[in-house]
Amino acid sequence: MSKCKYPHLFSPITLGNTLFRNRLFASPTGYQSNNGDGYLGEGFGAAAYYERKARGGAASVTTFEGIVDGELGKGGRTHICLDTPGIHVNLSKIAHAVSAYGAIASLELEHTGMFANRDLSFFGASSKGIAYGPVECEVAGRIIRPMDEEIIERTIRKFAEGAALAKMCGFGMVTVHAGHGWMLHQFLSPKTNTRKDKWGGPDIENRARLAVTVCDAIRKAVGPGFPIEIRISGSECYDGGFGLEEGIAIAKQLEGHVDLIHVSAGNHEIEEVFAVTHPSMFLEDGVNVKYAAEIKKHVKTAVATVGALNNAELMEEIIASGQADVVEMARQLLADPDFPNKVRTGNEDKARKCMRCLSCFSSELTWGEPFCALNPETGREFELKFDIPPAVKKKVLVVGGGVGGMQAALTCSARGHEVILCEKGGRLGGVLRCEEEVAFKEPLDYYLNQQAKAVADSNIDLRLNTEVTPEYADQVNADVIIAALGAQPMKPGIRGIEGTNVMSAQDAYTAEEKIGEYVVILGAGLVGIELGLHLISKGKKVKIIEMLDHISDGGNFLHILGLKVEMKKRGLEVYFNTKAKEITLNGVIGESADGEKFFTADTVVYAVGQRPLRQEAIAMNCCAPEFYQIGDCKAPRNITSATTEAFMIARDIGRF
């Protein structure tokens, strides 16, 4: 009798002469924690980061973008260049760390082409040197030089040398990046490759020639049987870009030259497509599978799919139905690197599901580490791979059962402490429970339920409907108090704010029956924008008034890209540089540089920030020898910050 719930997902696959233990691959994720000189740094952090995915059960783990030509192919400042002298030492650390856990390490090979020697588009795309592309053109005010035969031959050689380096360092596969708008994609695309010679033009055979020649040169460098994966965009997913038919034609050209065709989507230079390449929370699970499924009908080479995959049942169906041979995950394995092992061993319910909030990507580009909203260990793999001394057992009182409070209580319990968790409401989850009916927040609700169940299944003394006062805290006689009281919505001082037609964003989520057809929201932060999108999905007509000239991203600037696409799709209007002057029974009087404007509204919702419950928390400061404030009661913050702070503080309790 089978002991495996998902037999197709966990069946081995052979690519080239290499056996992969299952069909779950860790797709490329960047590594930005370096000083920008093309080196990898000391290498231990990167090794621990990729090793963690291998330890979690992935069959293959692909690294960062290894730039094959540091002079002409490097894009962002923190790109790691494979032709940097001595880099093999730290590359080998990654390969050996991944291989030690039974996974196949793959090094991604990339050249940025006409986007070389400039900052990423997110940071202004300022140019810092020359760049070559398929043809002469102007990009962001810089003239891109056309690749001549000498530069093309150099590029082919650089890819081959990068692959040979990977094999020498112990990698068991290479992944050639020919998608998302980078150099090989630029040659594949009929929009960017209008050459008149054998390397381009309207003929797909010519436009694919460079990618094919690169793969053939790699084959010669690594020898027979060594698996070669190539990542392509099955469609560029925007008006004017190529569609699926072109993606099929590209894949057919690659037939016989690679061992795995990894079908992604999009072009990174097109802002509205970013949230398709890296699917936003507004798109359905497996949104890009259709491209791989169609391409697979036309090629005999194994095909991989990627994008918005966090559901094992869906993944099993993809493999079982023949839509793809491999499923690849990036963000899901940051949310839970143990996902493969948990699913395999019947612990699927304990696996975190990626929310697709892009906290990881925004954090990586901002601070060099991919901090996850749900998994506080991501980005800290090297630090956390080592055991710390057993904790001196303490009695810990956690006040507040939101995301921070639950994480603190669970971490303290796992460390062996006696934990009491008090929540003044009737259920765990805190303020975020107001969003449980929001369709695009389903993974968040899943996480809250998962954490609540973990608390219920633990030895934590859970006390619901319990408001903790200083007197109550004194009576508990705890050694440690962790205050995670949260915050309350700030009410702006506007005439008419106390009207019966006015409510907070928090209340609006759960009071749909009280909300009229026309709604005005005050504040274009994430709370206001997401609420507006939700209300539109419920048939409301929504406008937002914002005093600033931009959306406040709360530190997650890449999430805004998906929001903008959805705002356009759903028709959400935002009036920037506009101050709400007065609320009436019929709407809001707004004021801008152009004068006053009246916004008709049956209901007015304010989403202008949170007031931390600091004094309420500080009142318990002397009720225990140790006292910590975490989360919103200290300062308004996002889920990433709350879970991280809770985990790290709780982990440290009991050192003495």
Side-chain angles (χ1 to χ4, degrees), residues 222-266:
V222 298
F226 187 89
I228 301 171
E229 175 183 18
I230 189 166
R231 173 180 256 192
I232 66 170
S233 291
S235 169
E236 289 191 305
C237 303
Y238 71 96
D239 292 339
F242 70 72
L244 180 55
E245 287 303 313
E246 195 72 29
I248 293 169
I250 291 168
K252 289 168 74 173
Q253 290 296 314
L254 294 167
E255 182 88 88
H257 299 277
V258 297
D259 302 285
L260 180 64
I261 300 174
H262 173 159
V263 182
S264 184

Side-chain angles (χ1 to χ4, degrees), residues 599-622:
F599 298 86
T600 301
D602 303 307
T603 305
V604 178
V605 180
Y606 55 90
V608 296
Q610 298 283 96
R611 180 186 72 81
L613 296 174
R614 288 176 185 164
Q615 296 307 314
E616 292 85 341
I618 291 172
M620 292 179 276
N621 185 34
C622 295

Side-chain angles (χ1 to χ4, degrees), residues 432-557:
L432 294 175
R433 285 296 191 181
C434 70
E435 298 180 344
E436 64 183 326
E437 298 301 323
V438 179
F440 54 84
K441 290 298 184 78
E442 184 276 331
L444 172 60
D445 193 56
Y446 182 90
Y447 166 73
L448 296 176
N449 291 336
Q450 196 174 49
Q451 291 288 83
K453 185 177 186 303
V455 169
D457 291 345
S458 72
N459 59 3
I460 294 170
D461 179 359
L462 174 61
R463 303 177 184 180
L464 297 173
N465 301 303
T466 302
E467 184 169 359
V468 177
T469 62
E471 293 73 24
Y472 186 96
D474 268 334
Q475 292 173 7
V476 170
N477 197 30
D479 300 305
V480 183
I481 292 177
I482 300 176
L485 278 68
Q488 291 180 339
M490 287 179 59
K491 184 180 290 188
I494 302 170
R495 185 183 303 171
I497 194 68
E498 301 295 343
T500 57
N501 61 332
V502 183
M503 65 179 71
S504 70
Q506 182 177 329
D507 292 335
Y509 275 113
T510 56
E512 185 183 335
E513 72 285 351
K514 297 179 182 179
I515 297 176
E517 181 181 3
Y518 292 89
V519 182
V520 168
I521 297 174
L522 310 182
L526 295 184
V527 173
I529 296 292
E530 290 178 355
L531 174 62
L533 294 173
H534 170 65
L535 292 177
I536 288 174
S537 74
K538 298 297 182 180
K540 310 298 181 183
K541 297 176 176 60
V542 183
K543 294 180 180 180
I544 296 180
I545 296 174
E546 170 56 52
M547 293 176 63
L548 301 177
D549 62 358
H550 63 276
I551 298 171
S552 299
D553 61 31
N556 187 353
F557 70 96

Side-chain angles (χ1 to χ4, degrees), residues 31 34-35 37-43 46 63-68 70 74 78-95 107-108 161-162 164-166 168-171:
Y31 188 76
N34 60 76
N35 61 15
D37 61 359
Y39 281 93
L40 190 53
E42 35 66 41
T63 65
F64 49 79
E65 318 95 308
I67 300 300
V68 298
K74 182 181 180 182
T78 53
H79 269 158
I80 295 160
C81 304
L82 302 183
D83 53 359
T84 304
I87 198 168
H88 66 283
V89 175
N90 289 331
L91 286 177
S92 298
K93 291 176 184 175
I94 297 173
L107 181 60
E108 185 175 46
E161 290 171 352
L165 172 68
M168 183 195 79
C169 290
F171 287 89

Side-chain angles (χ1 to χ4, degrees), residues 310-602:
N310 66 6
N311 184 300
E313 289 188 5
L314 173 60
M315 295 178 191
E316 172 74 4
E317 173 59 24
I318 290 168
I319 304 299
S321 63
Q323 295 177 75
D325 302 287
V326 169
V327 291
E328 304 217 14
M329 297 167 284
R331 289 173 289 172
Q332 173 56 31
L333 292 182
L334 299 182
D336 196 336
D338 289 320
F339 178 82
N341 283 342
K342 287 179 179 177
V343 171
R344 169 89 198 204
T345 57
N347 292 291
E348 184 180 349
D349 61 323
K350 295 181 175 63
R352 296 184 189 90
K353 286 186 176 182
C354 171
M355 296 193 300
R356 306 206 292 272
C357 68
L358 286 165
S359 168
C360 55
F361 207 160
S362 290
S363 296
E364 182 184 12
L365 293 179
T366 304
W367 298 304
E369 298 290 357
F371 297 134
C372 174
L374 307 185
N375 181 8
E377 299 185 35
T378 294
R380 301 174 178 86
E381 290 82 3
F382 183 64
E383 175 185 354
L384 298 175
K385 71 179 289 186
F386 304 105
D387 288 336
I388 58 176
V392 176
K393 187 174 181 179
K394 301 288 183 80
K395 185 177 185 180
V396 182
L397 171 62
V398 181
V399 185
V403 289
M406 285 194 291
Q407 183 63 64
L410 288 166
T411 303
C412 284
S413 178
R415 290 281 288 151
H417 299 295
E418 177 189 349
V419 183
I420 300 169
L421 173 59
C422 294
E423 162 56 43
K424 69 177 181 179
R427 65 192 298 211
L428 294 173
V431 66
L432 294 175
R433 285 296 191 181
C434 70
E435 298 180 344
E436 64 183 326
E437 298 301 323
V438 179
F440 54 84
K441 290 298 184 78
E442 184 276 331
L444 172 60
D445 193 56
Y446 182 90
Y447 166 73
L448 296 176
N449 291 336
Q450 196 174 49
Q451 291 288 83
K453 185 177 186 303
V455 169
D457 291 345
S458 72
N459 59 3
I460 294 170
D461 179 359
L462 174 61
R463 303 177 184 180
L464 297 173
N465 301 303
T466 302
E467 184 169 359
V468 177
T469 62
E471 293 73 24
Y472 186 96
D474 268 334
Q475 292 173 7
V476 170
N477 197 30
D479 300 305
V480 183
I481 292 177
I482 300 176
L485 278 68
Q488 291 180 339
M490 287 179 59
K491 184 180 290 188
I494 302 170
R495 185 183 303 171
I497 194 68
E498 301 295 343
T500 57
N501 61 332
V502 183
M503 65 179 71
S504 70
Q506 182 177 329
D507 292 335
Y509 275 113
T510 56
E512 185 183 335
E513 72 285 351
K514 297 179 182 179
I515 297 176
E517 181 181 3
Y518 292 89
V519 182
V520 168
I521 297 174
L522 310 182
L526 295 184
V527 173
I529 296 292
E530 290 178 355
L531 174 62
L533 294 173
H534 170 65
L535 292 177
I536 288 174
S537 74
K538 298 297 182 180
K540 310 298 181 183
K541 297 176 176 60
V542 183
K543 294 180 180 180
I544 296 180
I545 296 174
E546 170 56 52
M547 293 176 63
L548 301 177
D549 62 358
H550 63 276
I551 298 171
S552 299
D553 61 31
N556 187 353
F557 70 96
L558 292 179
H559 179 47
I560 296 297
L561 300 181
L563 280 177
K564 287 181 177 178
V565 171
E566 208 62 24
M567 289 165 65
K568 183 177 180 180
K569 186 186 302 182
R570 301 192 190 192
L572 177 59
E573 296 180 62
V574 181
Y575 293 81
F576 293 108
N577 299 305
T578 302
K579 180 180 180 180
K581 186 177 180 181
E582 181 179 352
I583 300 171
T584 72
L585 290 176
N586 301 313
V588 178
I589 300 173
E591 187 176 48
S592 69
D594 298 326
E596 289 189 353
K597 176 179 175 64
F598 186 75
F599 298 86
T600 301
D602 303 307

